[in-house]
Amino acid sequence: FGGLRLLSGKGQANVYMPNDNCRFAQYTLRYLYDWTKELDPTKIDVVHWNNGLWDVCHLFGDGEFTPKDEYVETMLRIARLLKERATTVIFATTTPVRPENAHNKNEVIEAYNDALVPRLKEMGVVINDLYTLISQDVYKYICEDMIHLSDDGISLAAEMVEAVIRKEAEKIKDEGNAKLDSVNNASIGAPV
């Protein structure tokens, strides 16, 4: 989860993000309150967020950590709350893992992404398809732990995240909907 506030005519933004791993969907839902209570919702232009890898994790042999229907409903609830707090909400699809990963399977990740993405699109959430991007070469883009992005994967995903955020920020700016100010800023290129 990360939010940003565009700054007038500078091509830059203030970037906000929790100092915590957003983990699984229920965790994000719970802590969304804490993470956003200090932020003025009239000053959030773009939110970029993801949950998924923790949710699809299959540790005990009794199914995924978060059942798919529960995941979808929780994610839709998060999306509704984020849409109340930001002009544009972007969801990054859950990235693939290496096929030999014992606890996460790409078929399950695809099923969760496929169940969620159309519903988010119906709500007007922008989709950043990191799954397709990273799945081009999981051995290059996923590190040896079989789940986290490698340095090449981090670079590729960061470029995609920046491009999608930049595109959506430009739309806001062009539409005249940006809530601009002149506070100190951070580069929009910072991954959120």
Side-chain angles (χ1 to χ4, degrees):
F1 163 79
L4 63 92
R5 172 81 165 91
L6 302 177
L7 299 173
S8 181
K10 297 181 181 183
Q12 296 179 333
N14 281 331
V15 178
Y16 309 93
M17 66 189 100
N19 292 324
D20 194 4
N21 184 308
C22 295
R23 302 177 188 164
F24 47 91
Q26 287 284 340
Y27 185 88
T28 296
L29 178 61
R30 161 54 190 94
Y31 282 95
L32 186 61
Y33 176 81
D34 294 332
W35 296 331
T36 62
K37 72 180 175 185
E38 302 297 322
L39 298 176
D40 179 348
T42 65
K43 292 186 177 181
I44 304 289
D45 291 305
V46 179
V47 170
H48 189 280
W49 127 89
N50 165 269
N51 290 100
L53 284 173
W54 286 53
D55 294 284
V56 302
C57 189
H58 189 280
L59 288 176
F60 302 106
D62 64 345
E64 288 70 37
F65 183 76
T66 307
K68 184 170 55 177
D69 291 344
E70 181 181 326
Y71 170 77
V72 170
E73 289 309 311
T74 302
M75 295 295 278
L76 294 175
R77 188 171 173 194
I78 293 168
R80 281 190 294 275
L81 291 167
L82 291 174
K83 286 184 68 64
E84 291 173 2
R85 291 160 170 78
T87 304
T88 300
V89 175
I90 302 167
F91 173 73
T93 56
T94 302
T95 53
V97 297
R98 288 191 182 186
E100 58 274 15
N101 185 307
H103 302 292
N104 295 65
K105 298 297 175 199
N106 289 328
E107 314 78 63
V108 176
I109 294 169
E110 289 172 13
Y112 277 54
N113 282 337
D114 290 347
L116 178 60
V117 166
R119 305 276 305 274
L120 290 175
K121 285 182 178 179
E122 289 171 7
M123 294 175 66
V125 172
V126 175
I127 305 302
N128 183 2
D129 189 5
L130 293 182
Y131 181 89
T132 299
L133 182 71
I134 299 300
S135 68
Q136 295 173 33
D137 188 346
V138 294
Y139 291 99
K140 179 177 181 181
Y141 299 129
I142 302 295
C143 68
E144 292 180 9
D145 73 0
M146 297 179 275
I147 193 166
H148 293 99
L149 297 175
S150 66
D151 288 343
D152 287 335
I154 290 168
S155 294
L156 184 66
E159 288 172 16
M160 179 74 146
V161 167
E162 180 181 359
V164 171
I165 290 173
R166 199 173 287 281
K167 178 181 174 186
E168 294 306 315
E170 286 300 318
K171 285 182 189 176
I172 292 169
K173 182 179 167 190
D174 291 345
E175 293 170 4
N177 293 330
K179 304 154 199 109
L180 303 174
D181 63 28
S182 60
V183 298
N184 291 333
N185 55 70
S187 169
I188 198 168
V192 281

